[in-house]
């Protein structure tokens, strides 16, 4: 596709996301679709399905891209994220069992496997090409559930989902493009533009949350881009803050459990400031570690999450550049 | 914030170390095995084991970073 066509799709994604997020913010009032912003003194109730807006804008842009002569890669970049978003929406309207949820999140990987949109010979930086034809399909399935939980675990503050994933999406777009993956690069930029449109309403003080529908879509796009552009290890490095956060939570809570089932919280809100919990046994999270030394406002914590994500994305770029080095 | 930057840097450097170890130790180790299936299984099993050690290492880092910060604030109970 011509560059002008790609720019049109990216602009379309931004505008549709902006407009639809505004509609959701103003018109969604059903109690089931509202969530409490627990970090504000007055604990306002706001719509929690804002992710539907950027799911629609991203899907529309990538569907148009597929209709204009796309193949298997273009198709899975629409279908897999949509399956993940549908599972997220299901969780937004009814609580899912914390063991069933990771199993359901294996489903977005199935179109990738059925349509053979993967290459079981990944190129690992410093190692080179390896052949894992039996293991790779299992890793594809597992990747969706791991990344979905990791991305979901940072969607805890106003703007944190967008700010912590934008640097990763820009990195993925650049590296995909450098490796000749035009469509994965377009998908990353279309999602980035959609998230910017959503940020207008999600930035502090937020008037809408993304919900699981939004975080699952973001995670599934990142995973599908990593698989189709063959940049798995580079994506792993870019997502280090997200993966570390998920890992801290799982280990400090003793397994896959719903956060709602625990009285212990990693942070407290004191006079509008986020304060790290002083208790040893409380869960360890990224936000808790960021606020360990000093209490901070919610927006400041989100900006620091963006800084960490930018730093890990730079490390991912260095990892990509190391890809030219072969030790064997 | 400095703790987290350090944590991410150590995580990245240790991941690079794992990749170097796979490349220079584990893959050549399996070259002497005649059966290609056994060699392949050995490579995958050892690489995954090394990766699991890396994940455990990450949690230990975070836990001790959290402990040290609390000691610095005199809140150790």
């Amino acid at each position: 596709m011509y560059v002008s066509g790609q720019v049109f799709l990216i602009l379309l994604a931004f505008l549709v996301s902006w407009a639809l997020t505004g509609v959701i913010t103003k018109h969604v009032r059903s109690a089931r679709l509202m969530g409490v912003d627990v970090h504000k003194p007055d604990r306002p109730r706001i719509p929690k399905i804002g992710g539907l807006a950027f799911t629609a804008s991203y899907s529309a842009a990538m569907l148009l891209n597929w209709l204009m002569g796309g193949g298997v890669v273009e198709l899975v970049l629409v279908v897999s994220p949509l399956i993940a978003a549908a599972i997220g929406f299901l969780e937004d309207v009814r609580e899912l069992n914390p063991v069933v949820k990771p199993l359901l999140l294996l489903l977005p990987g199935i179109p990738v496997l059925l349509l053979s949109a993967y290459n079981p010979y990944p190129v690992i930086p410093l190692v080179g090409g390896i052949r894992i034809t039996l293991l790779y399909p299992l890793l594809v399935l597992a990747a969706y559930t791991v990344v979905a939980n990791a991305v979901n675990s940072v969607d805890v503050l106003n703007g944190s989902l967008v700010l912590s994933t934008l640097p990763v999406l820009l990195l993925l777009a650049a590296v995909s493009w450098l490796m000749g993956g035009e469509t994965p690069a377009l998908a990353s930029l279309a999602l980035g533009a959609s998230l910017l449109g959503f940020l207008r309403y999600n930035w502090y003080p937020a008037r809408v949350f993304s919900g699981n529908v939004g975080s699952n879509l973001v995670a599934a796009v990142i995973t599908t881009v990593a698989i189709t552009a063959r940049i798995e290890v580079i994506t792993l490095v870019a997502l280090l803050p997200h993966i570390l956060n998920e890992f801290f939570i799982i280990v400090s809570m003793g397994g896959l459990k719903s956060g709602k089932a625990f009285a212990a919280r990693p942070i407290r809100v004191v006079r509008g400031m986020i304060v790290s919990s002083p208790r040893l046994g409380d869960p360890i999270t990224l936000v808790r570690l960021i606020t360990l030394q000093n209490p901070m406002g919610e927006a400041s914590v989100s900006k620091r999450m963006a800084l960490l994500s930018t730093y890990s994305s730079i490390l991912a770029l260095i990892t990509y550049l190391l890809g030219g080095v072969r030790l064997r | 914030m400095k703790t987290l930057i350090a944590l991410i840097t150590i995580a990245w450097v240790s991941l690079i170390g794992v990749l170097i170890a796979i490349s220079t130790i584990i893959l050549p180790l399996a070259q002497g095995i005649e059966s290609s299936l056994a060699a392949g299984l050995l490579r995958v099993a050892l690489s995954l084991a090394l990766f699991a050690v890396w994940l455990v290492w990450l949690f230990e880092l975070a836990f001790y970073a959290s402990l040290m910060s609390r000691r610095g604030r005199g809140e150790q109970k």
Side-chain angles (χ1 to χ4, degrees):
Chain A
M1 190 195 291
Y2 292 114
V3 173
S4 56
Q6 294 180 339
V7 172
F8 167 75
L9 291 179
I10 292 164
L11 277 176
L12 178 78
F14 171 75
L15 292 173
V16 171
S17 173
W18 190 356
L20 285 181
T21 310
V23 171
I24 290 173
T25 304
K26 282 173 194 148
H27 298 290
V28 170
R29 289 292 173 266
S30 164
R32 184 182 274 197
L33 304 177
M34 305 287 273
V36 179
D37 193 342
V38 294
H39 300 124
K40 305 289 183 303
D42 53 343
R43 298 171 70 89
R45 290 182 70 82
I46 58 176
K48 63 173 182 182
I49 53 159
L52 273 181
F54 60 81
T55 297
S57 64
Y58 166 82
S59 304
M62 294 311 292
L63 195 61
L64 277 175
N65 180 57
W66 178 65
L67 289 173
M68 288 188 283
V72 165
V73 170
E74 286 77 4
L75 185 59
V76 293
L77 278 162
V78 179
V79 176
S80 290
L82 271 179
I83 293 172
I87 294 164
F89 186 70
L90 186 68
E91 198 188 1
D92 284 330
V93 293
R94 56 172 295 178
E95 183 74 11
L96 288 180
N97 181 307
V99 178
V100 172
K101 185 189 165 190
L103 292 176
L104 277 177
L105 284 167
L106 299 173
L107 295 177
I110 289 176
V112 177
L113 301 184
L114 289 179
L115 295 167
S116 295
Y118 66 98
N119 188 328
Y121 301 88
V123 181
I124 311 291
L126 298 168
V127 176
I130 56 167
R131 188 171 68 95
I132 44 172
T133 43
L134 294 177
L135 184 64
Y136 197 86
L138 298 176
L139 292 177
V140 166
L141 293 177
Y144 280 93
T145 191
V146 170
V147 177
N149 279 299
V151 171
N152 185 259
S153 73
V154 297
D155 185 19
V156 287
L157 300 174
N158 294 175
S160 64
L161 174 71
V162 178
L163 291 190
S164 67
T165 49
L166 264 181
V168 177
L169 290 169
L170 288 176
L171 177 275
L172 294 185
V175 175
S176 301
W177 182 77
L178 285 170
M179 293 184 68
E182 198 177 276
T183 306
L186 173 66
S188 305
L189 292 176
L191 179 62
S194 298
L195 288 176
L196 278 178
F198 169 75
L199 187 63
R200 162 81 175 75
Y201 296 92
N202 181 241
W203 184 239
Y204 182 89
R207 286 186 278 159
V208 66
F209 294 139
S210 74
N212 292 298
V213 57
S215 60
N216 278 8
L217 177 97
V218 171
V221 172
I222 289 173
T223 311
T224 314
V225 165
I227 293 166
T228 54
R230 302 180 69 194
I231 48 174
E232 300 88 345
V233 173
I234 290 154
T235 309
L236 172 76
V237 175
L239 285 176
L240 266 179
H242 304 71
I243 291 170
L244 280 169
N245 190 41
E246 182 194 13
F247 199 63
F248 298 159
I249 294 168
I250 290 174
V251 180
S252 61
M253 286 173 64
L256 287 170
K257 292 166 188 170
S258 172
K260 291 166 191 164
F262 280 79
R265 309 304 298 176
I267 54 163
R268 291 157 192 188
V269 183
V270 180
R271 290 188 290 277
M273 303 292 273
I274 293 176
V275 183
S276 169
S277 168
R279 288 166 46 122
L280 265 181
D282 287 351
I284 300 170
T285 66
L286 211 55
V287 176
R288 186 179 177 193
L289 292 176
I290 288 173
T291 54
L292 260 178
Q293 299 294 338
N294 301 303
M296 271 178 215
E298 193 173 346
S300 298
V301 179
S302 289
K303 284 177 192 168
R304 277 166 175 76
M305 288 169 90
L307 273 177
L308 289 176
S309 194
T310 304
Y311 179 63
S312 63
S313 296
I314 291 169
L315 294 180
L317 186 63
I318 297 171
T319 311
Y320 166 71
L321 297 173
L322 285 175
V325 179
R326 293 284 179 272
L327 297 175
R328 285 189 296 146
Chain B
M1 194 62 180
K2 283 179 191 166
T3 308
L4 276 166
I5 295 274
L7 200 63
I8 290 171
T9 308
I10 295 169
W12 178 69
V13 170
S14 53
L15 176 66
I16 296 296
V18 165
L19 296 179
I20 291 172
I22 290 172
S23 180
T24 57
I25 301 169
I26 291 176
L27 298 185
L29 197 72
Q31 277 171 356
I33 298 170
E34 280 186 28
S35 161
S36 62
L37 178 66
L41 285 175
L42 184 69
R43 281 191 199 113
V44 170
L46 288 177
S47 301
L48 286 179
L50 208 53
F51 190 70
V53 170
W54 180 68
L55 290 176
V56 173
W57 160 244
L58 293 190
F59 176 72
E60 289 298 317
L61 280 175
F63 188 72
Y64 286 109
S66 160
L67 272 183
M68 283 168 65
S69 300
R70 269 195 296 273
R71 282 197 183 111
R73 291 195 303 172
E75 292 181 17
Q76 180 72 39
K77 297 271 191 318

